[in-house]
Amino acid sequence: MNWLNTVKNKISTTYHDVRAMKKVRELFLYPKESTLSNLSYILLILFFLSPVYRLLNSLTLDFHDPSFYFVNDSILARDLFHYLQPLGYFGLFIALFTIARSIIIARDDDIELIDYIKRYILPILLTLFLLLAFFSALFSDNWAISFYGHPYRKEGFITYLAYAGLFSAAYQLKSTRRIYCLLIPFLLSGTLLSIFSLLDIEYINNLFTLTKASSIFHNANHYAYFLNISILASILAIYLYKGKSRIITIVPYIILGLLTYTLIDNGSFGSYIGAVFGVTMLSIFVFTYHPKERKRLSVIVLIFLLSSLASSMDGNFIASELSKIAGGTSDIIEGNEQAPSAGSGRWSLWTQALDFTLEKPIFGYGVDNLGDAYLEAGNTSDRPHNEYLQIAASIGIPALIVYLSTLTIHFLDLLKNRTHFSLIIYSLYAIVFAYLVSAFFGNSMYYTTPYYIVFLALSIQQMQKESTNL
């Protein structure tokens, strides 16, 4: 029980240290940077294990008959939300110390305000986005939805706060080894879900409350968002795990093929387009600036292509979807009566979202609050299936400008040092890029968007670290 005595002594020492403090600044400087990093690391491991938590939680349900699927799914969604939210809020607690420490240290080192802003411009812009989201919720016609979220989406302002907490936790991690370790629970979760989907065994589906098409998510599109990120994360694992034992080196390649096959089998073409763009972007940077990695890159691309072709062979999925896109684009250009249904009805959702944006350009209709507007416009959807239009219509044009400015600055930072950055940087950014492309056709959700948020923070942090060392 030595560890228990150590914990007791640590608590006692901390208690006496805090009581002896004379100034507030002492409190914020008291935790070591390594302590905040360790807490963030544990928090993110718990976050990446959330799909496993969802699977295990299903085992505790009383009934596993198919007729109880929707009831069970609602219960599990509620529990998963209550699992994820505290993790995000604890991340906010870490953010409080991190921000306060950075300001105190900047003042002690006589760092000019403009230099401080330049150093932390991306987190500052995202904080401004969060502030605009708050005012959007405050001025909305339905506070309950804007602050607490739609019962299905669960993505009101309080969820945005949880996103900010997860971003802050990921922003603490500077060690690539910790990213290496975080990928293990994430890819483990993705691999499990993929295997269950492909096996499609009724007993397993009922036991874990999942389906072949949507897995543990509410629908197939949401599962595809997760798979899109997972595919690019498996490529990151390939570069992080190289030089390890042969088995460890091979496993990420197998996972890449499995996840790609599953995404095609899932049938959500928007997310597959995102994955294609992510792999293409990564290929361009690696081929150009890391010529020694061209052979490994060729294997990655080959596995991605072969898995795609193998999965789409029966239904000719890729060719069929490309044909639909061509037909829908033609309808839109001609402006015929089929145009509103283009993109599985997305075109009408997009045009209506533009109308909503012009109606309330400053703060929008409120966070997660487009349902009534769409209903009045004769559409049963509550989202435009385009995250950029979603932000513009629900939070406002200023919020969209701030968000796009953040992404633009981050991309320009990548271009600025493109000849010096490591494969880790390119691989992390490829995950972000793949999500951003798929966001043109999808919605944000409380259990998928946090993955993007975490990898965005990791990408920003690693890029800053390597830029500082140049």
Side-chain angles (χ1 to χ4, degrees):
M1 300 294 287
N2 289 335
W3 67 271
L4 184 58
N5 291 329
T6 302
V7 171
K8 288 180 178 179
N9 291 334
K10 183 64 176 177
I11 293 174
S12 177
T13 301
T14 302
Y15 172 76
H16 290 296
D17 288 345
V18 172
R19 289 203 61 181
M21 293 176 183
K22 303 297 183 182
K23 298 180 179 179
V24 175
R25 72 191 308 275
E26 296 179 69
L27 175 63
F28 290 112
L29 293 174
Y30 181 74
K32 296 179 181 178
E33 186 175 340
S34 60
T35 301
L36 295 177
S37 179
N38 290 337
L39 290 174
S40 298
Y41 180 54
I42 294 170
L43 185 154
L44 291 174
I45 287 178
L46 293 174
F47 165 67
F48 279 126
L49 284 172
S50 58
V52 176
Y53 164 80
R54 161 62 171 75
L55 291 173
L56 295 177
N57 194 26
S58 180
L59 300 178
T60 67
L61 298 175
D62 294 328
F63 305 101
H64 293 94
D65 187 89
S67 60
F68 285 89
Y69 173 81
F70 291 104
V71 174
N72 289 347
D73 187 55
S74 298
I75 294 172
L76 294 170
R78 178 202 63 195
D79 291 349
L80 181 60
F81 180 73
H82 291 158
Y83 174 88
L84 293 172
Q85 291 295 89
L87 296 179
Y89 297 149
F90 190 75
L92 280 180
F93 179 74
I94 295 173
L96 174 65
F97 277 86
T98 303
I99 295 170
R101 283 166 67 95
S102 69
I103 293 173
I104 293 170
I105 292 172
R107 292 183 63 182
D108 290 347
D109 294 343
D110 293 324
I111 296 175
E112 296 292 334
L113 178 60
I114 188 66
D115 293 327
Y116 179 86
I117 292 174
K118 287 180 179 178
R119 180 182 298 181
Y120 298 106
I121 183 62
L122 297 182
I124 289 172
L125 284 173
L126 290 173
T127 302
L128 177 58
F129 175 84
L130 192 66
L131 184 64
L132 290 170
F134 169 75
F135 283 112
S136 171
L138 189 65
F139 294 129
S140 73
D141 295 330
N142 192 326
W143 278 21
I145 289 180
S146 284
F147 277 99
Y148 298 104
H150 187 277
Y152 174 73
R153 303 288 183 185
K154 297 178 174 54
E155 207 184 26
F157 180 72
I158 64 167
T159 300
Y160 278 41
L161 290 176
Y163 291 169
L166 290 171
F167 178 93
S168 177
Y171 191 71
Q172 307 301 315
L173 302 188
K174 300 178 181 179
S175 167
T176 53
R177 177 169 177 76
R178 290 203 158 172
I179 299 175
Y180 167 106
C181 294
L182 285 175
L183 286 176
I184 295 174
F186 181 50
L187 294 178
L188 170 65
S189 301
T191 302
L192 276 175
L193 298 186
S194 179
I195 290 172
F196 288 159
S197 293
L198 296 179
L199 290 177
D200 193 26
I201 298 173
E202 184 178 3
Y203 175 78
I204 293 178
N205 293 350
N206 294 337
L207 186 64
F208 292 111
T209 314
L210 52 84
T211 67
K212 174 181 175 59
S214 61
S215 186
I216 62 172
F217 303 91
H218 294 320
N219 68 45
N221 288 332
H222 302 174
Y223 184 25
Y225 308 156
F226 174 83
L227 289 170
N228 176 30
I229 294 175
S230 300
I231 287 169
L232 275 298
S234 67
I235 298 176
L236 171 61
I238 289 172
Y239 287 120
L240 277 174
Y241 296 174
K242 68 176 183 177
K244 308 297 179 184
S245 70
R246 180 170 296 183
I247 294 178
I248 293 177
T249 302
I250 292 174
V251 167
Y253 289 99
I254 297 173
I255 293 175
L256 169 62
L258 181 67
L259 294 174
T260 303
Y261 190 98
T262 306
L263 178 57
I264 291 289
D265 192 58
N266 165 272
S268 297
F269 197 56
S271 292
Y272 180 71
I273 291 175
V276 169
F277 271 81
V279 172
T280 302
M281 171 265 163
L282 180 62
S283 299
I284 292 171
F285 278 89
V286 173
F287 188 87
T288 305
Y289 302 112
H290 288 272
K292 293 181 180 180
E293 291 292 335
R294 289 175 181 174
K295 184 179 294 186
R296 194 188 309 272
L297 174 65
S298 299
V299 176
I300 290 171
V301 173
L302 184 62
I303 291 174
F304 181 77
L305 291 176
L306 290 177
S307 296
S308 299
L309 292 173
S311 186
S312 63
M313 195 172 295
D314 288 341
N316 202 20
F317 173 73
I318 296 176
S320 174
E321 290 298 318
L322 289 174
S323 177
K324 289 179 183 178
I325 291 175
T329 302
S330 177
D331 291 336
I332 292 170
I333 294 174
E334 293 176 6
N336 59 38
E337 59 184 13
Q338 300 298 322
S341 62
S344 301
R346 281 176 172 78
W347 183 247
S348 65
L349 294 174
W350 292 358
T351 55
Q352 287 169 354
L354 285 172
D355 292 338
F356 302 154
T357 301
L358 296 176
E359 289 170 8
K360 296 187 177 184
I362 306 303
F363 293 119
Y365 273 78
V367 180
D368 205 18
N369 216 346
L370 294 176
D372 288 343
Y374 269 117
L375 195 61
E376 290 181 9
N379 208 315
T380 57
S381 179
D382 64 338
R383 293 283 182 89
H385 285 266
N386 180 306
E387 289 189 28
Y388 307 101
L389 291 175
Q390 175 187 322
I391 291 172
S394 62
I395 307 178
I397 294 176
L400 178 63
I401 292 173
V402 169
Y403 180 61
L404 293 179
S405 298
T406 305
L407 299 177
T408 301
I409 292 172
H410 187 38
F411 180 66
L412 291 177
D413 286 342
L414 178 73
L415 292 182
K416 180 182 177 181
N417 296 302
R418 62 189 181 278
T419 59
H420 305 291
F421 280 147
S422 68
L423 291 167
I424 308 304
I425 295 294
Y426 297 138
S427 301
L428 279 169
Y429 188 82
I431 298 173
V432 174
F433 187 67
Y435 182 89
L436 293 177
V437 172
S438 69
F440 278 98
F441 315 101
N443 299 314
S444 60
M445 286 293 294
Y446 74 96
Y447 54 5
T448 54
T449 301
Y451 293 107
Y452 157 66
I453 297 292
V454 167
F455 282 110
L456 175 63
L458 292 174
S459 175
I460 292 172
Q461 177 58 262
Q462 290 299 307
M463 205 176 290
Q464 288 179 346
K465 185 184 77 171
E466 291 198 13
S467 298
T468 303
N469 295 331
L470 292 177

